[in-house]
Amino acid sequence: NAAIANNTPPREWTLRNIANMKAQMKRLGFAYDWSREVTTCLPEYYRWNQWFFVKLFEKGMAYRKKSKVNWCPKCCTVLANEQVVNGRCWRHEDTLVEQRELEQWFLRITQYAEELLRDLDKLAEWPEKVRTMQRNWIGRSEGTLVDFKLDGAPDSPESTITVFTTRVDTIYGATSVQLAPQHPLVARLTRNNDALRAQVDQLIAEQRKAKEVGDIGAIEKHGVNTHYFAVNPFNGERIPIWVANYILMDYGTGAIMSVPAHDERDFEFARKYNLKIRIVIVPRSVDPEETSVEPTLPFTTMNGTLVNSGPFSRLDCEEAITKMSAYAEKNGFGKATVTYRLKDWGISRQRYWGTPIPMLYCEKDGIVPVPEKDLPVILPENVDITLTGGSPLSRVPEFVNAICPKCGGPARRETDTMDTFVDSSWYFYRYTDAHNDRAPFDSKTVAYWFPIDQYIGGIEHAILHLIYSRFWTKFMRDMGLVKNDEPVERLFSQGMIIKGGAKMSKSLGNIVSPDEMIARYGADSARMYTLFATSPDRELDWLDEGVEGIRRTLARIYRFVARNAPAETQLAASQQAERATLPATSLQPEARKIQRKLHQTIKRVSDDFKGRWHFNTSIAAIMELVNELYAVEERAAHSPADVVPAQLWFEVQRDLVILLAPFAPHLAFELWEMLGEKGSLLRTPWPKYDPALAKEEEIAIPVQVNGKLRGLILVPVDSSQEAIHERALSAEKIKAAIAGKQVVKVIVVPGKLANIVVR
RNA sequence: GCCCGGGUGGCGAAACUGGCAGACGCACGGGACUUAAAAUCCCGGGGAGAUAAAACUCCGUACCGGUUCGAUUCCGGUCCCGGGCACCA
């Protein structure tokens, strides 16, 4: 391996690897996924991914465990849930997908669950919706673990059913225990009972099917009575043990206590199977002696008092939870605890392209990481990828057979590669120090640049990528590599582009090629249309029509400047425009109108850049300015007395071009030259907004009667509340509308509207 | 199912903090220019009723209900669409 690492020039190897991937994909008839070039074919990413992995392993943050996967026996590979169609492989319609248990590598992201949750509060400049999604994804929940014993069995850990509940106060109302079908105890209980085993297998199949459809909650809730009993440690009651298809092994402990009276799901289940229902919480009553209030079931609120609960009766729910948890802990059958929905991150992939996991298995020394000097472990070349015969890497003896760095004996190399989310968790750090060959990056350089000021990505990354990269940052901080707690200060999540009712993506193959649009309309029109179609945080339903309007607007701007650009003799006036703005008072009405519109446009465009990035409204504002320019040009042709001074005329064009530049840069640069400008457009300061020049002199204020629009009054812009009040009541139309009625109240919002309430 | 968004004219949308619903654009209709067409320029379009044409009246932001002088906006419920649900990345 060391030989491979040292003798292979990274760039050449990369290019060969990419060429190899393209050829293989073509041969197998798959769409070539270019995004994989970026991270999965670069040995330097392999090297540092592997370096990080070893650090994680050494800190106990990476571990192996068995986990269930979808397996296509024909492809001999793991399938993603979306690659399973009706229980069959997406490439082999006749092949049923199997469930297999594989040893896989996991990263202990759950160790950071609490901090990942807590620090969401620090991310003030992240969209609220993303923070909410992450909060729910981490899914912190406080509750109690309680041990139920299998009735009649000897006291041993194998006969203990630990349940997790957020409502231990309802435990006297537990009338059954429900286990996940994969629960270890279920295997034992069904060992000598084929009929029961078959029923449980049926439940597993239902669960799998639901997961495949992506609809865990949609399954009809089914259960099987094992006819075994568990003992409630609080009251010694024997209650039946059931196995249910809606209990998931990977959440909580894979076992729950069922309290039909006080949980909706349990209630539904108990009704279906005629299980006992016992009320142990009643609404908090004024008279503490009065306990006969029967709540409507299921009664799930915390605002209640315990009954039928032995020594805990008459306590309020909240207090009961604390006391009962403490009681369980004191007596050794439970304790208060916090669980998370967040699971550890499985990073093993049985694919060829990807960073090999740098681990060796030695018979004598066990699991041994590849020493740092031997990194990167890179992929062997010229591997024949077929759809049959198992993991490609495991069939390459030169790759698999290695030497144990500890004992020098033979070792087997790990053939799993890493999830590409690993690369994407830290790639942006590498950008600050891309040529470093001693470390993933230099800490000082990263300390200068990080955290990222502004990160932009699709909303579909709100959960996975953005949690993994936050986790990675926290791990690197604890290693002492970085100082920042969070990778990203400000996040912008753009909406997705939808075409034909689904997101546009490589895997769905419903992509609109920008090349085609650029060829037809030019890059400026194509770019500006995508910005104009909707605001970037919304999803956009893609339609090819509509680009025409943008092209037309750009042509209008071009023609306007071509007609009105300063001639040689006017350049002095044009340069004047750069320096000074004409005072509003010196202008004729038409000129003043243009000046006002210009400053209103500057404000609207500038605000969109500073604030919400709603560039569709910026472009609309520019269009309005252009329409106004055409109107003024037309009117000026008919009434020569109402002149627009040359200096203002040039100022407007100059500012228009600057405002246009971010949206249609090519055209803007062309127009900039046409205006006789010598300096660089890029270095020209953004136009200044002057509120005094943007101000309207008069505004029309709507007048409502009982909330219905009944007229408009024209008033000076800064009219007082009293003045508007008086004008509103004296307007002809309003007088007619309120004639014969009694005015109860008049609401005046200065600058907005007046509303007269009559009876 | 759960979590997060969204639903406004024929269409893409706007309305930023509860204050004139539909800015801007597409498509469409009318006019000007032209031998003609294209391009361009100008004008008009939420719906229904009324009118020669207007003033005008009513309805209207998925649906049902609430709060408010006033709701596209806030609250409760329902329906539909999109994203995520841990191996698409």
Side-chain angles (χ1 to χ4, degrees):
Chain A
N1 182 64
I4 300 173
N6 295 333
N7 298 336
T8 308
R11 185 169 165 76
E12 277 172 33
W13 185 88
T14 301
L15 294 175
R16 278 210 306 280
N17 198 10
I18 292 171
N20 183 17
M21 172 160 66
K22 283 184 181 169
Q24 297 271 15
M25 291 221 165
K26 194 173 169 193
R27 192 166 67 74
L28 298 172
F30 293 140
Y32 169 61
D33 182 350
W34 52 267
S35 71
R36 286 180 169 263
E37 279 180 24
V38 179
T39 49
T40 63
C41 295
L42 287 172
E44 65 184 276
Y45 270 103
Y46 285 12
R47 180 171 174 192
W48 302 116
N49 279 342
Q50 289 167 352
W51 183 84
F52 276 122
F53 185 88
V54 171
K55 299 288 177 204
L56 284 155
F57 177 76
E58 286 168 351
K59 295 242 155 59
M61 293 290 292
Y63 67 98
R64 260 155 73 88
K65 79 171 180 198
K66 283 200 172 135
S67 89
K68 285 245 168 78
V69 292
N70 301 311
W71 182 266
C72 172
K74 269 207 182 157
C75 303
C76 288
T77 189
V78 176
L79 300 179
N81 286 334
E82 72 161 14
Q83 293 169 333
V84 181
V85 184
N86 294 324
R88 287 153 213 276
C89 173
W90 63 328
R91 310 194 274 233
H92 303 105
E93 283 172 25
D94 56 341
T95 308
L96 283 171
V97 170
E98 299 168 6
Q99 295 295 294
R100 275 217 185 170
E101 207 164 52
L102 294 181
E103 283 271 320
Q104 308 229 66
W105 284 97
F106 285 81
L107 301 185
R108 263 185 233 286
I109 189 172
T110 49
Q111 196 121 320
Y112 287 90
E114 189 62 43
E115 197 192 340
L116 287 168
L117 179 69
R118 185 164 30 87
D119 284 357
L120 285 173
D121 295 337
K122 285 195 208 162
L123 300 174
E125 293 187 87
W126 279 38
E128 191 52 52
K129 63 177 169 183
V130 173
R131 292 195 290 161
T132 311
M133 278 191 249
Q134 292 209 355
R135 215 168 269 135
N136 294 333
W137 185 255
I138 294 168
R140 182 180 199 274
S141 102
E142 285 182 18
T144 312
L145 293 170
V146 182
D147 294 338
F148 285 63
K149 294 283 178 214
L150 181 61
D151 185 42
D155 193 0
S156 73
E158 293 84 59
S159 311
T160 301
I161 303 165
T162 304
V163 306
F164 173 77
T165 175
T166 56
R167 294 295 302 272
V168 70
D169 55 319
T170 64
I171 198 165
Y172 281 77
T175 56
S176 66
V177 163
Q178 309 270 345
L179 302 181
Q182 299 87 350
H183 195 280
L185 187 65
V186 175
R188 265 183 61 205
L189 300 182
T190 58
R191 195 174 298 149
N192 299 314
N193 188 339
D194 291 345
L196 188 60
R197 185 69 243 170
Q199 285 177 298
V200 169
D201 287 343
Q202 180 61 32
L203 297 177
I204 294 176
E206 285 168 9
Q207 242 181 27
R208 208 173 67 211
K209 186 145 192 213
K211 199 179 170 192
E212 193 186 289
V213 185
D215 207 351
I216 279 284
I219 52 174
E220 167 126 21
K221 292 179 186 65
H222 276 132
V224 176
N225 191 346
T226 63
H227 300 289
Y228 286 91
F229 290 85
V231 179
N232 183 338
F234 274 85
N235 57 6
E237 188 183 6
R238 287 170 78 240
I239 56 177
I241 300 173
W242 284 64
V243 181
N245 64 357
Y246 66 96
I247 309 295
L248 303 175
M249 197 54 220
D250 46 19
Y251 180 71
T253 58
I256 64 154
M257 63 175 199
S258 181
V259 185
H262 307 293
D263 180 277
E264 234 156 275
R265 206 166 50 172
D266 295 347
F267 185 73
E268 192 187 319
F269 193 87
R271 286 262 281 246
K272 181 165 177 174
Y273 291 104
N274 251 327
L275 302 179
K276 263 198 288 179
I277 298 174
R278 185 190 305 139
I279 293 171
V280 291
I281 310 280
V282 293
R284 207 169 281 167
S285 134
V286 195
D287 176 8
E289 297 304 311
E290 176 68 66
T291 53
S292 62
V293 204
E294 284 274 313
T296 24
L297 294 183
F299 181 70
T300 58
T301 50
M302 281 286 273
N303 192 10
T305 306
L306 273 66
V307 294
N308 303 322
S309 297
F312 304 100
S313 294
R314 300 228 182 129
L315 290 177
D316 285 342
C317 293
E318 224 152 301
E319 195 187 351
I321 289 174
T322 317
K323 291 206 164 145
M324 292 169 89
S325 296
Y327 178 81
E329 185 153 13
K330 203 174 112 202
N331 292 280
F333 59 77
K335 63 173 180 189
T337 186
V338 176
T339 55
Y340 299 90
R341 214 185 65 96
L342 185 71
K343 293 188 279 189
D344 276 339
W345 174 14
I347 61 154
S348 278
R349 299 289 181 271
Q350 294 71 39
R351 312 277 188 217
Y352 171 64
W353 285 285
T355 307
I357 293 176
M359 286 290 160
L360 297 167
Y361 303 96
C362 169
E363 277 197 19
K364 213 173 118 221
D365 296 305
I367 301 175
V368 183
V370 174
E372 192 175 338
K373 67 176 172 54
D374 292 343
L375 299 180
V377 176
I378 62 172
L379 297 169
E381 295 183 67
N382 303 320
V383 176
D384 187 34
I385 317 279
T386 59
L387 295 183
T388 56
S391 161
L393 289 180
S394 65
R395 287 182 298 116
V396 182
E398 311 87 86
F399 184 78
V400 176
N401 297 328
I403 290 162
C404 172
K406 276 195 183 162
C407 67
R412 183 174 57 83
R413 191 183 296 286
E414 172 64 68
T415 56
D416 283 356
T417 52
M418 290 183 203
D419 181 2
T420 51
F421 272 129
V422 170
D423 311 81
S424 61
S425 294
W426 67 276
Y427 73 97
F428 32 75
Y429 286 94
R430 179 79 186 171
Y431 285 175
T432 64
D433 194 12
H435 301 291
N436 194 329
D437 60 359
R438 292 155 182 271
F441 49 77
D442 176 62
S443 293
K444 274 197 209 119
T445 311
V446 159
Y448 170 78
W449 289 103
F450 270 75
I452 294 169
D453 298 303
Q454 177 74 64
Y455 198 57
I456 304 176
I459 185 68
E460 71 271 27
H461 291 298
I463 300 296
L464 298 179
H465 166 56
L466 288 172
I467 285 194
Y468 292 147
S469 49
R470 292 181 61 218
F471 156 68
W472 208 271
T473 293
K474 290 176 189 302
F475 176 73
M476 292 195 301
R477 178 205 57 199
D478 290 348
M479 281 176 73
L481 269 183
V482 305
K483 295 217 160 55
N484 47 305
D485 294 326
E486 289 287 338
V488 171
E489 200 147 280
R490 200 179 324 133
L491 175 73
F492 185 89
S493 290
Q494 86 253 22
M496 265 167 302
I497 300 188
I498 305 289
K499 177 144 197 206
K503 75 168 173 176
M504 213 186 258
S505 84
K506 295 190 293 285
S507 63
L508 296 172
N510 57 348
I511 296 181
V512 173
S513 155
D515 298 348
E516 211 175 290
M517 263 177 67
I518 291 169
R520 238 166 100 192
Y521 298 102
D524 279 348
S525 296
R527 172 206 301 257
M528 197 150 147
Y529 174 64
T530 59
L531 291 169
F532 181 63
T534 191
S535 44
D537 51 350
R538 274 175 72 126
E539 59 189 34
L540 166 65
D541 208 337
W542 187 268
L543 291 167
D544 292 331
E545 302 85 13
V547 197
E548 192 56 41
I550 291 290
R551 197 203 55 77
R552 248 192 311 249
T553 298
L554 292 178
R556 267 162 80 83
I557 296 173
Y558 180 86
R559 282 194 303 269
F560 185 85
V561 174
R563 275 197 302 270
N564 294 288
E568 284 295 321
T569 52
Q570 293 174 304
L571 282 175
S574 148
Q575 276 148 19
Q576 188 76 25
E578 260 180 69
R579 276 169 297 200
T581 298
L582 292 169
T585 46
S586 68
L587 298 176
Q588 299 288 312
E590 283 297 310
R592 176 70 190 102
K593 225 179 204 167
I594 274 290
Q595 188 185 46
R596 185 185 300 127
K597 190 76 187 175
L598 172 65
H599 279 270
Q600 289 171 348
T601 309
I602 294 171
K603 178 172 168 52
R604 285 174 64 184
V605 176
S606 308
D607 285 355
D608 280 331
F609 270 98
K610 276 183 258 167
R612 305 181 304 162
W613 290 5
H614 281 197
F615 304 121
N616 53 334
T617 55
S618 313
I619 294 168
I622 291 172
M623 286 171 167
E624 281 182 48
L625 176 62
V626 173
N627 290 345
E628 184 68 29
L629 286 174
Y630 267 68
V632 169
E633 203 184 18
E634 166 101 354
R635 283 193 296 260
H638 294 115
S639 101
D642 201 2
V643 283
V644 177
Q647 189 188 327
L648 177 64
W649 207 231
F650 298 139
E651 185 193 341
V652 174
Q653 293 181 68
R654 222 176 153 268
D655 288 354
L656 170 63
V657 169
I658 302 170
L659 293 178
L660 184 69
F663 309 105
H666 300 91
L667 178 65
F669 275 73
E670 177 73 25
L671 297 175
W672 192 243
E673 280 185 22
M674 283 166 65
L675 289 174
E677 294 288 344
K678 298 282 181 277
S680 159
L681 177 53
L682 286 174
R683 291 174 188 279
T684 305
W686 191 251
K688 270 216 183 67
Y689 159 66
D690 184 338
L693 298 182
K695 204 167 138 190
E696 300 279 354
E697 272 97 48
E698 275 196 320
I699 50 167
I701 287 197
V703 180
Q704 301 180 333
V705 175
N706 285 349
K708 287 201 170 167
L709 184 66
R710 284 291 177 265
L712 291 171
I713 51 172
L714 210 56
V715 297
V717 71
D718 31 19
S719 299
S720 68
Q721 200 155 336
E722 293 73 31
I724 296 172
H725 185 152
E726 195 186 314
R727 284 291 311 279
L729 284 172
S730 60
E732 284 306 318
K733 272 188 189 167
I734 302 306
K735 274 204 254 177
I738 61 177
K741 299 192 176 123
Q742 188 197 345
V743 176
V744 180
K745 197 160 137 192
V746 178
I747 292 141
V748 176
V749 185
K752 292 274 189 198
L753 100 172
N755 188 14
I756 301 163
V757 186
V758 297
R759 198 160 35 206

